């Protein structure tokens, strides 16, 4: 089989490997589609502190089960599945409180263990979620990105009366827009970005208002509009954003950060405590695949609005470069394996 492996930072190869055999409790997936995420690019470029090399990247993938290991029912062969990349121990404190995404011995497919940019991938049976026939392949491969929004909104608990502001109109921001509008019917969703083309994608995904903050003060603009956001999501992931979010937030607002920056972030406690703000963070997803599958079944979200590019897996270098460089037109890039 062919696999896309990062040998070391900036060294990507498509190499021949033996087709893996599923062990006890595992299934083998013949991969049909995979999505490129920022973390794949970061591993390729050597910017992901968790990655070990060499590594087959890819944690957003969909395919068909073609073999099962011991203890897995043979009837699973032939199932269309989307794979949750989060592998947890089930025993530690985070797992015991329903947070397997921050398991003490967390393993993420495509980061700590070989992932889905391969013609075949072996994964735990419980991580392979059956996709109803009504959900097409390209929607199925987009489930994992939407679980990021599902995980975030599960913590924020949005309501119809909220006014939400999202920093960043990339994939994480746009999945959040669709969740807030399509699932939670939030009254107003505002998206802030510095690229007009991305703001247009935000409008297409359901944003009520967009703001290009390249040359204006976001606080002044919101003051002019008499808007105090009650929910704020930082999907742009820059350390400077949190303090601004604290400043512009309504009293009793909820703020959620998705960023993984190791740079210091300076904030003032008074701004948090005086308004009794709640600050959350969100990583990966905690058993959110069934939730997103339900959203798709009910047609509450539309992943096709985010898919902008498709490549054969043999053109993966061009695909990653497009993802990295075409910030105006590119959102989600899919790779075809079969």
């Amino acid at each position: 089989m062919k696999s896309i492996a990062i040998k070391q930072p900036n060294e990507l190869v498509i190499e021949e490997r033996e087709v893996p055999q599923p062990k006890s409790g595992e299934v083998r997936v013949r991969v049909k589609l995979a999505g490129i995420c920022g973390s794949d690019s970061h591993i390729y470029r050597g910017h992901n502190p968790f990655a070990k090399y060499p590594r087959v990247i890819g944690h957003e993938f969909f395919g068909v089960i073609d073999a099962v290991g011991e203890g897995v029912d043979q009837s699973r062969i032939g199932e269309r599945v989307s794979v949750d990349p989060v592998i947890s121990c089930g025993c530690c404190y985070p797992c015991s409180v329903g947070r397997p995404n921050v398991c003490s011995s967390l393993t993420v497919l495509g980061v700590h263990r070989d992932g889905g940019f391969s013609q075949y991938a072996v994964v735990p049976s419980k991580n392979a979620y059956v996709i109803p026939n009504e959900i097409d392949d390209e929607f199925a491969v987009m489930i994992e990105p939407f679980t990021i929004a599902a995980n975030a909104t599960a913590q924020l608990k949005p309501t119809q009366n909220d006014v939400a502001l999202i920093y960043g109109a990339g994939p994480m921001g746009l999945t959040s827009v669709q969740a807030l509008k399509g699932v939670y019917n939030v009254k107003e969703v505002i998206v802030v970005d510095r690229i007009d083309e991305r703001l247009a994608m935000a409008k297409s995904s359901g944003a009520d208002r967009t703001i290009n903050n390249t040359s204006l003060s976001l606080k002044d603009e919101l003051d002019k509009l008499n808007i105090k956001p009650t929910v704020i999501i930082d999907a742009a992931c820059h350390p400077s954003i949190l303090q601004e979010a604290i400043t512009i937030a309504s009293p009793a607002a909820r703020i959620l950060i998705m960023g993984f920056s190791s740079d210091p972030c300076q904030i003032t406690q008074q701004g948090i405590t005086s308004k009794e703000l709640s600050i959350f963070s969100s990583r990966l997803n905690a058993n959110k695949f069934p939730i997103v599958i339900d959203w798709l079944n009910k047609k509450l979200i539309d992943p096709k609005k985010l898919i902008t590019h498709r490549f054969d897996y043999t053109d993966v270098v061009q695909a990653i470069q497009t993802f990295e460089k075409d910030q105006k037109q590119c959102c989600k890039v899919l790779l075809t394996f079969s």
Side-chain angles (χ1 to χ4, degrees):
M1 70 172 185
K2 298 292 187 184
S3 298
I4 297 166
I6 311 299
K7 292 294 193 182
Q8 58 186 3
N10 295 304
E11 185 185 343
L12 182 153
V13 297
I14 299 176
E15 62 184 14
E16 187 71 33
R17 292 189 171 195
E18 286 190 16
V19 175
Q21 299 304 314
K23 298 175 183 173
S24 178
E26 293 183 332
V27 298
R28 186 174 68 202
V29 178
R30 178 171 54 82
V31 178
K32 296 187 72 175
L33 290 169
I36 293 176
C37 172
S39 62
D40 299 314
S41 166
H42 295 157
I43 295 170
Y44 180 25
R45 302 304 180 190
H47 301 147
N48 186 311
F50 305 108
K52 301 287 189 292
Y53 300 91
R55 177 64 62 233
V56 174
I57 53 175
H59 63 271
E60 304 172 7
F61 59 105
F62 158 81
V64 176
I65 293 176
D66 81 328
V68 298
E70 184 182 345
V72 181
D73 198 308
Q74 289 282 325
S75 66
R76 295 214 64 184
I77 293 174
E79 288 180 350
R80 300 167 67 244
V81 294
S82 188
V83 178
D84 185 347
V86 175
I87 300 174
S88 55
C89 73
C91 304
C92 65
Y93 171 71
C95 286
S96 75
V97 294
R99 308 275 285 278
N101 52 320
V102 287
C103 170
S104 299
S105 54
L106 176 68
T107 296
V108 180
L109 294 170
V111 181
H112 309 98
R113 166 175 162 174
D114 284 346
F117 283 12
S118 187
Q119 290 178 317
Y120 293 89
V122 165
V123 305
S125 174
K126 66 184 180 65
N127 287 61
Y129 285 88
V130 179
I131 303 303
N133 291 331
E134 295 74 26
I135 296 175
D136 81 27
D137 293 1
E138 288 197 348
F139 280 31
V141 77
M142 290 289 291
I143 289 171
E144 195 280 339
F146 274 91
T147 66
I148 306 304
N151 206 69
T153 52
Q155 297 195 62
L156 291 167
K157 297 180 170 55
T159 72
Q160 293 182 10
N161 294 323
D162 277 311
V163 174
L165 183 141
I166 298 171
Y167 285 95
M172 290 192 298
L174 297 182
T175 58
S176 298
V177 171
Q178 290 200 22
L180 289 170
K181 291 302 290 186
V183 179
Y184 292 94
N185 300 309
V186 168
K187 176 171 63 178
E188 183 170 14
V189 174
I190 304 159
V191 178
V192 180
D193 201 289
R194 296 184 175 185
I195 300 173
D196 285 333
E197 290 83 355
R198 289 210 161 190
L199 291 171
M201 289 185 203
K203 274 280 193 184
S204 173
S205 278
D208 300 288
R209 188 189 302 267
T210 59
I211 299 173
N212 187 320
N213 65 335
T214 303
S215 56
L216 57 76
S217 159
L218 179 59
K219 181 182 183 305
D220 290 348
E221 185 70 12
L222 293 175
D223 285 347
K224 270 194 265 177
L225 297 166
N226 197 29
I227 291 173
K228 292 282 188 188
T230 58
V231 167
I232 299 175
I233 296 175
D234 172 16
C237 309
H238 191 279
S240 65
I241 288 174
L242 182 55
Q243 181 55 55
E244 182 177 68
I246 291 166
T247 301
I248 65 174
S250 163
R254 294 94 77 204
I255 298 171
L256 182 134
I257 56 176
M258 294 179 171
F260 246 106
S261 174
S262 59
D263 293 337
C265 177
Q266 189 167 9
I267 59 174
T268 304
Q269 285 186 349
Q270 187 180 66
I272 301 169
T273 311
S274 64
K275 297 192 216 177
E276 203 173 69
L277 302 176
S278 299
I279 299 179
F280 300 88
S281 63
S282 186
R283 182 183 184 188
L284 301 165
N285 86 93
N287 301 316
K288 296 297 186 283
F289 269 63
I291 290 170
V292 176
I293 291 168
D294 184 58
W295 292 356
L296 287 169
N297 270 329
K298 293 176 178 173
K299 297 181 168 50
L300 301 178
I301 54 174
D302 185 0
K304 275 220 164 81
K305 290 182 176 177
L306 276 60
I307 300 167
T308 54
H309 294 74
R310 299 164 178 84
F311 292 86
D312 187 80
Y313 79 92
T314 55
D315 297 318
V316 62
V317 171
Q318 183 187 351
I320 293 175
Q321 288 174 346
T322 300
F323 178 83
E324 291 172 338
K325 294 176 181 177
D326 189 1
Q327 294 192 349
K328 289 185 176 181
Q329 304 298 333
C330 183
C331 185
K332 286 304 297 184
V333 178
L334 301 186
L335 297 176
T336 303
F337 283 85
S338 64

